[in-house]
Amino acid sequence: MPALRSWFSIPRGSHFSLANIPFGIISTPSSKTPRVAVAIGEHVLDLEAFAANNGFSALSIIQPHQAVFSQPSLNAFAALGRPIHAIVRKYIQDVFDADTTYPEILKTNSALQKQALLPLKEIQTYLPFKIGDYTDFFAGLNHAVKAGSMFRGPINALQPNYKHLPVAYHGRASSIVVSGTPIRRPNGQILLDPATEKKQPTYSACKKLDFELELGAFICKANKMGEPVPVNEAQDSLFGIVLMNDWSARDVQAWEYVPLGPFNAKNFGTTISAWVVLADALEPFKVKGIENDVGVLPYLKEKDNKSVYDIQLKVDLQTKSGNSKTIAKTNGRHLLWSYPQMIAHHSSTGCPLQVGDLLGSGTISGISQSEYGSLLEQSENGKIPIKISDSEERIFLEDGDEVTFSGVCGSDEEALVGFGECVGRIEPALKL
Ligand SMILES: O=C(O)/C=C/C(=O)CC(=O)CC(=O)O
Ligand SMILES: [Ca+2]
Ligand SMILES: [Mg+2]
């Protein structure tokens, strides 16, 4: 399909082309109340201002719902359901199209352009949703094999359940932050010398601080308690996707996680990107995930044989002294389980999912060192240093390090569907 052309200037290579239209929450120095916007090129369209100035006058279906754009989160907009998200996205694409059906709405309305089109660099972004619950899956097969091999050897790398159900832990919604928020190194219980017989922990600053490259999915449809979401209807629950960093304290994790899973090792901070790419925008980039070679149970069997996304993912690390390096490149296709399968399994007991819940994919890794989505894998749990520059290397994160994830779909520079960035810098631990 040829790229949509706009009357509005959208630079080539922008993650926020007309093919995208991602949603987020913004404010400006002169208007500090957080509200809904979409990103377009190097600007955002403030949907509160747009709605208040008859921007949706040609879209009668949205008129009774315009208050959703004045909310400080996307929950109310998301709850309108996928057919409405699709209509709104298509309408905004039309308003910006070079041959728009509605030139009077924005193309020839310079007053509204001035009011509602704001430079990205002048706005502040916020968490896109009020997140009630957060669950982090472990669907990245290559990551699970690599991490499991390091801890239990290659024969026992995967637990017997791994290919039969999407494994997950219940995370902590209260410490999810938007891209750009600093992350403080946690203090925690660790074993300084795990090899010795006597297991005596100390309480200290984490010495094995790591990132995990993941995708996060937001839920837009609540299921009632007791009523599971069938796998082949689960796409209706999927609002959109963000980049996600499940910061992980590996030494805390190693000591605490058997038998109930990660607790404090992953509850001190999780960063997500600010712009939510709608499931509809990702539709052209659906691909087959990793083949599951066990026959999954019927409640996890999907009709759709393409249900993960071809997203080119990248991790950059910049040190306090300014050296930086791309330390990993991988792809969103490296998942054994799809989001519909995760949703179906999560709700299979009757557990209610709610609008605004966040589901992490699990760390996404390829199969070679430069494709690993965590330092745990890259450094073989601290054994192999990763060269950042001639003067610096890393095994785990140091104070002042800044980790930047980016993700983009497509190759046509005029029609990229990108996520922007998911950034966090490490601050020193509280002094003990
Ligand atoms: O297989 C294991 O015992 C451990 C796996 C991990 O440590 C990976 C991990 O932290 C899970 C995650 O992706 O959050
Ligand atoms: Ca994780
Ligand atoms: Mg986390």
Side-chain angles (χ1 to χ4, degrees):
M1 213 174 67
L4 298 169
R5 303 199 67 82
S6 183
W7 52 264
F8 186 60
S9 168
I10 301 173
R12 277 178 72 83
S14 169
H15 278 200
F16 308 134
S17 76
L18 261 199
N20 193 350
I21 317 290
F23 284 71
I25 299 294
I26 62 133
S27 73
T28 51
S30 60
S31 178
K32 293 194 167 63
T33 311
R35 54 200 184 268
V36 175
V38 292
I40 298 187
E42 286 170 346
H43 289 76
V44 304
L45 178 68
D46 174 344
L47 290 184
E48 181 183 50
F50 185 71
N53 291 279
N54 300 318
F56 288 107
S57 56
L59 193 65
S60 55
I61 195 169
I62 200 69
Q63 281 164 20
H65 305 295
Q66 296 201 61
V68 300
F69 300 122
S70 301
Q71 300 296 311
S73 75
L74 293 174
N75 296 57
F77 173 63
L80 295 176
R82 284 201 51 182
I84 296 287
H85 313 152
I87 289 168
V88 172
R89 173 169 170 267
K90 201 160 185 310
Y91 177 74
I92 295 170
Q93 285 175 325
D94 191 349
V95 164
F96 279 91
D97 195 292
D99 302 315
T100 175
T101 327
Y102 319 109
E104 69 288 355
I105 297 279
L106 196 62
K107 185 179 177 183
T108 60
N109 184 346
S110 53
L112 184 53
Q113 286 182 29
K114 204 154 172 248
Q115 203 183 340
L117 275 171
L118 315 168
L120 256 178
K121 59 178 188 307
E122 289 172 18
I123 55 122
Q124 182 175 342
T125 51
Y126 299 82
L127 271 186
F129 276 86
K130 184 166 169 18
I131 303 168
D133 270 308
Y134 155 50
T135 305
D136 192 19
F137 284 86
F138 191 42
L141 173 69
N142 301 325
H143 166 72
V145 168
K146 179 71 187 169
S149 300
M150 290 189 300
F151 299 131
R152 291 178 294 279
I155 305 292
N156 299 311
L158 297 180
Q159 302 289 351
N161 57 11
Y162 186 84
K163 291 183 174 178
H164 293 280
L165 60 88
V167 169
Y169 68 91
H170 284 303
R172 187 75 197 160
S174 64
S175 55
I176 300 172
V177 294
V178 74
S179 177
T181 310
I183 295 292
R184 186 184 292 285
R185 178 183 301 274
N187 292 313
Q189 272 204 26
I190 60 176
L191 294 180
L192 283 179
D193 191 359
T196 55
E197 198 61 30
K198 191 165 174 292
K199 300 296 181 207
Q200 180 57 47
T202 48
Y203 185 67
S204 102
C206 165
K207 298 178 196 311
K208 289 188 169 183
L209 186 56
D210 200 358
F211 60 81
E212 286 189 342
L213 172 60
E214 303 196 22
L215 300 175
F218 279 107
I219 295 296
C220 62
K221 189 175 176 184
N223 61 297
K224 287 209 186 84
M225 187 159 164
E227 298 183 11
V229 182
V231 69
N232 290 310
E233 292 172 26
Q235 284 285 354
D236 298 345
S237 305
L238 192 58
F239 177 75
I241 305 278
V242 289
L243 303 174
M244 188 179 115
N245 187 340
D246 179 24
W247 302 98
S248 298
R250 298 299 181 194
D251 39 8
V252 176
Q253 185 177 351
W255 172 231
E256 76 176 6
Y257 87 119
V258 178
L260 287 191
F263 181 37
N264 281 356
K266 289 166 186 271
N267 75 2
F268 59 93
T270 303
T271 306
I272 61 171
S273 51
W275 296 100
V276 189
V277 178
L278 295 187
D280 287 309
L282 292 169
E283 201 59 26
F285 306 101
K286 268 179 157 179
V287 287
K288 263 178 100 148
I290 299 171
E291 192 83 36
N292 196 333
D293 53 18
V294 304
V296 298
L297 290 167
Y299 80 100
L300 291 171
K301 213 165 256 168
E302 282 178 284
K303 281 202 202 98
D304 192 353
N305 74 345
K306 288 183 175 180
S307 53
V308 303
Y309 303 109
D310 176 5
I311 306 170
Q312 301 148 55
L313 298 165
K314 189 160 77 80
V315 181
D316 287 283
L317 194 154
Q318 179 165 18
T319 68
K320 198 172 169 182
S321 48
N323 294 314
S324 65
K325 190 175 171 194
T326 297
I327 55 169
K329 282 186 179 175
T330 181
N331 192 292
R333 63 171 70 230
H334 296 307
L335 295 175
L336 183 74
W337 299 102
S338 69
Y339 270 116
Q341 289 175 312
M342 296 183 224
I343 291 167
H345 183 66
H346 200 314
S347 66
S348 61
T349 53
C351 171
L353 299 178
Q354 291 177 306
V355 174
D357 283 0
L358 178 67
L359 308 185
S361 62
T363 309
I364 302 177
S365 292
I367 48 173
S368 68
Q369 211 247 354
S370 64
E371 299 174 305
Y372 292 149
S374 69
L375 291 174
L376 173 76
E377 295 159 90
Q378 293 216 357
S379 73
E380 296 268 347
N381 198 10
K383 291 195 209 49
I384 305 170
I386 298 133
K387 189 173 166 169
I388 306 296
S389 70
D390 287 340
S391 58
E392 281 189 293
E393 51 187 34
R394 287 288 180 274
I395 51 172
F396 287 105
L397 296 170
E398 296 192 5
D399 293 346
D401 284 355
E402 184 172 89
V403 180
T404 301
F405 296 169
S406 60
V408 66
C409 302
S411 54
D412 179 348
E413 294 276 297
E414 291 184 348
L416 298 179
V417 173
F419 293 79
E421 293 183 336
C422 175
V423 186
R425 184 184 299 118
I426 305 302
E427 291 190 335
L430 288 176
K431 286 228 162 22
L432 293 173

